[in-house]
Amino acid sequence: MAHTLGRINKGSPSLPPVQSTMSSLRFISAEVLVSYPHVAVESLKNVAYNLYPLLFKASYLREQAEVTRAVLGCWPLEEFRLNVLLGPSADHPEDLRDRACKTCLEACVRGLADHALQGRSRRLQRADLSGIRDVQVQRCPCGKALGRWGRTELLARMCCQLQAELCAIRRPIEVCIDLFVTEGNFDIVMQALRPAGLAPLQMHCPSLRADSLSPVQLLQVLGLARPGELRKLEVVHNVRLHAGHVQQLLTQVGFPHLTSLTLPTKAFDAPFTCVPTSEGEDCLLASIARELSRMTQLVELSVAFSTVTGKIQTLLGPLRTPLRMLDLANCALNREDMTFLADCTHASHLEVLDLSGHNLLHLYPSSFLKLLRQAAQTLRVLTLEECGITDSHVGMMILGLGSCHQLQEFKFTGNPLSASALKRLFSALCELPELRCIEFPVPKECYPEGAAYPQDELAMSKFDQQKYAMIAEELRAVLLHANREDIRTSTPLFGGFDPEVYETSNELGAFLLQAFKTALENFSRALKQVE
């Protein structure tokens, strides 16, 4: 590389600006080299194999797509792992895994395609493009992101394009990607997953997110996505599943290595054709629980907005592995459910817990406080949005949180708390050494007197912003007085940024409009039949 740098004349661009994190001389040299794309590409054949990772990260950092593509095109190692290459290293401590740069990621996929077409001369066997973190604001020079859905479509189209190439392929390159499938890219993904013959690039997915698909389409894509390799499955929003579909999914497909499962709204509702037993037993849910118990690596389960009143023991009791993440938001839990949660094996292993939408401190205070005590040694993230927590509950809340010394995030928006109650709670939260994030509600003084809770979106957005700003500053002063400026505070009225929803918002909107139209047509047809 030093020989190559000597070819760059004095009229070259200045060295890259000094980073806040110190880079090694090797990495600085790599940055200078990639600043001359033509020279860098010509020099690759003279570069030592162990310097390719440096050149790749430098080209990604400087958004030199031509170099990125060339580096991948002649990658000399058997494995390429994007998240490792972009992560912190001794040569360059900066973490670039949150840069879903459209220009660079397109160059990566094109480089893989170039490499795959080299035939016998290539060495690369496996490329892992998973692990990119999608964020709201891109830090890359172009500022354009390629989200998870876009990355899925890009790779799927490239796979299909290469399938059409008439070339001799001895062994395909396995390409791992976090798959995101919707109605909009379903056909191209299915084609990529089901090649007619031996394909140059072979898609593998450690995680899969599905939205805006029919149950039949979901089963089809899962059948081709090598479910035996799947570690994380998210079925969300507009995939209309009922308990019969979930049972079919788990029994027919099977996910032996699944660690994380998310199911959509109403996933445990019984189908219309289901006849309850005389004893009132939910046979479908019991069958689903048996299938979940076969997933011996399952540690994360999200079933928010599914009605499971009185059925939590049936669902979670058979699980063989203690859960580390559990989302039961708006699941209509009752006293029996809360009692089981407080006493079950999972409680002492929970790291992330969401019980939003339940009046815990009003209806089940003892069970809830016991649950917090059980989870105190492991709990990192606690979400209690719209739980009816009032000023009178703050004392109990402080008591429950006092032993949660591992807590890093506490989210409790949508609760009717006054400014004085929030200050008292903030003072107690300052005592939690690991806490770094608080999401708190708009103080109730900022709303018209007598405002009802829980609030709809319109009512939630109509508050006195000047008064809110003043109270927020007072709360910040509480943290500063306790030397806890390391704690971030915010009031996200409509939830946090969801990159997948943001990326596919147009398609989701069209899907919802079509669903609404279909519902109206069915309603109109039913009225005519009655008449």
Side-chain angles (χ1 to χ4, degrees):
M1 189 184 294
H3 173 72
T4 301
L5 288 176
R7 298 167 54 191
I8 300 173
N9 60 36
K10 294 181 180 179
S12 63
S14 58
L15 287 174
V18 176
Q19 305 285 334
S20 58
T21 52
M22 292 296 292
S23 300
S24 70
L25 288 176
R26 294 199 319 162
F27 191 83
I28 293 172
S29 299
E31 285 189 271
V32 174
L33 177 57
V34 302
S35 298
Y36 296 85
H38 181 68
V39 175
V41 171
E42 280 189 345
S43 305
L44 283 176
K45 59 181 176 292
N46 300 318
V47 173
Y49 289 179
N50 66 333
L51 296 178
Y52 269 71
L54 279 182
L55 284 176
F56 174 79
K57 188 173 184 181
S59 68
Y60 198 101
L61 174 66
R62 294 297 163 188
E63 207 173 279
Q64 295 290 352
E66 182 183 347
V67 182
T68 300
R69 178 175 179 174
V71 169
L72 263 292
C74 53
W75 191 256
L77 308 174
E78 292 184 353
E79 190 174 49
F80 173 85
R81 296 176 63 191
L82 183 62
N83 65 327
V84 173
L85 293 168
L86 296 182
S89 67
D91 285 298
H92 187 254
E94 187 179 358
D95 191 345
L96 303 183
R97 286 173 293 187
D98 60 354
R99 291 197 184 189
C101 176
K102 186 175 187 291
T103 300
C104 293
L105 290 170
E106 287 177 346
C108 286
V109 172
R110 293 191 180 102
L112 286 175
D114 295 340
H115 195 106
L117 295 176
Q118 291 176 14
R120 294 183 180 273
S121 63
R122 65 176 174 81
R123 296 191 62 184
L124 183 61
Q125 297 179 20
R126 186 174 187 270
D128 189 346
L129 302 182
S130 65
I132 292 293
R133 297 191 295 263
D134 295 297
V135 295
Q136 190 167 4
V137 179
Q138 283 297 311
R139 296 187 294 123
C140 56
C142 73
K144 296 178 181 178
L146 188 68
R148 185 174 174 181
W149 188 93
R151 298 193 292 273
T152 297
E153 185 179 46
L154 172 67
L155 180 59
R157 290 195 181 281
M158 185 58 73
C159 289
C160 294
Q161 180 181 325
L162 292 180
Q163 288 167 21
E165 300 276 351
L166 298 176
C167 53
I169 300 298
R170 181 180 55 159
R171 183 184 66 247
I173 298 175
E174 295 182 6
V175 186
C176 296
I177 188 170
D178 295 318
L179 214 62
F180 184 10
V181 188
T182 66
E183 177 69 32
N185 65 3
F186 174 78
D187 291 335
I188 194 71
V189 170
M190 289 292 289
Q191 185 181 341
L193 290 172
R194 186 175 48 198
L198 194 59
L201 297 180
Q202 190 177 75
M203 288 178 67
H204 291 251
C205 52
S207 69
L208 188 149
R209 179 183 176 98
D211 198 353
S212 303
L213 296 178
S214 69
V216 172
Q217 288 175 317
L218 177 64
L219 281 171
Q220 287 175 337
V221 74
L222 283 172
L224 295 177
R226 298 178 179 83
E229 300 177 2
L230 206 60
R231 305 284 291 172
K232 183 174 184 177
L233 175 61
E234 298 172 274
V235 186
V236 298
H237 304 306
N238 293 308
V239 181
R240 308 299 185 188
L241 299 184
H242 54 57
H245 293 136
V246 175
Q247 182 200 39
Q248 182 184 14
L249 179 71
L250 299 181
T251 54
Q252 288 188 10
V253 180
F255 307 98
H257 299 296
L258 202 69
T259 62
S260 178
L261 176 63
T262 298
L263 293 173
T265 300
K266 300 182 178 180
F268 294 139
D269 286 8
F272 293 117
T273 55
C274 183
V275 179
T277 63
S278 56
E279 296 83 10
E281 181 185 0
D282 192 330
C283 296
L284 274 178
L285 190 64
S287 175
I288 290 169
R290 282 195 299 271
E291 295 302 321
L292 291 176
S293 71
R294 294 190 174 96
M295 301 178 189
T296 55
Q297 299 181 40
L298 187 70
V299 293
E300 298 181 358
L301 182 63
S302 175
V303 294
F305 292 92
S306 289
T307 303
V308 289
T309 309
K311 302 174 183 177
I312 288 297
Q313 184 170 2
T314 302
L315 178 64
L316 303 184
L319 298 186
R320 300 179 187 180
T321 308
L323 293 174
R324 295 202 300 264
M325 190 281 280
L326 181 60
D327 185 350
L328 295 173
N330 297 280
C331 285
L333 304 181
N334 64 10
R335 188 177 302 279
E336 180 184 347
D337 297 320
M338 287 302 301
T339 300
F340 171 79
L341 284 177
D343 293 328
C344 70
T345 306
H346 306 290
S348 58
H349 294 79
L350 287 172
E351 297 176 16
V352 180
L353 177 63
D354 191 340
L355 292 174
S356 298
H358 299 97
N359 288 334
L360 302 167
L361 291 169
H362 177 67
L363 298 176
Y364 325 114
S366 58
S367 295
F368 175 62
L369 293 178
K370 183 178 180 181
L371 175 58
L372 287 184
R373 287 197 301 273
Q374 295 286 86
Q377 300 305 311
T378 56
L379 193 62
R380 294 183 296 103
V381 180
L382 177 62
T383 306
L384 301 175
E385 297 175 354
E386 297 185 347
C387 284
I389 302 173
T390 65
D391 290 12
S392 62
H393 298 134
V394 168
M396 278 190 290
M397 197 73 247
I398 292 173
L399 179 65
L401 293 173
S403 56
C404 298
H405 294 296
Q406 303 304 314
L407 195 66
Q408 298 174 13
E409 300 180 23
F410 180 39
K411 307 174 184 180
F412 59 108
T413 60
N415 289 291
L417 290 165
S418 68
S420 59
L422 286 171
K423 289 177 188 176
R424 185 181 169 202
L425 185 54
F426 267 53
S427 295
L429 293 175
C430 289
E431 301 299 320
L432 302 180
E434 301 299 323
L435 192 65
R436 294 296 181 272
C437 174
I438 300 174
E439 293 184 4
F440 65 96
V442 175
K444 64 181 183 181
E445 295 98 325
C446 300
Y447 289 107
E449 190 173 349
Y453 285 83
Q455 301 165 307
D456 58 35
E457 289 190 2
L458 181 61
M460 192 183 302
S461 61
K462 292 184 176 181
F463 63 93
D464 187 330
Q465 297 193 19
Q466 187 175 0
K467 185 179 290 187
Y468 167 81
M470 181 182 67
I471 296 173
E473 191 61 34
E474 292 173 356
L475 293 173
R476 189 68 189 159
V478 172
L479 299 179
L480 293 176
H481 185 262
N483 294 319
R484 293 305 307 270
E485 54 274 357
D486 57 332
I487 298 178
R488 293 177 289 105
T489 61
S490 63
T491 304
L493 290 179
F494 308 114
F497 174 70
D498 188 325
E500 283 87 7
V501 171
Y502 178 80
E503 186 182 14
T504 57
S505 57
N506 290 337
E507 182 181 346
L508 292 178
F511 186 92
L512 289 172
L513 285 174
Q514 182 59 46
F516 183 63
K517 179 183 177 184
T518 302
L520 287 178
E521 289 172 350
N522 292 339
F523 181 68
S524 176
R525 195 178 301 114
L527 283 178
K528 289 178 180 179
Q529 290 175 354
V530 170
E531 293 173 356

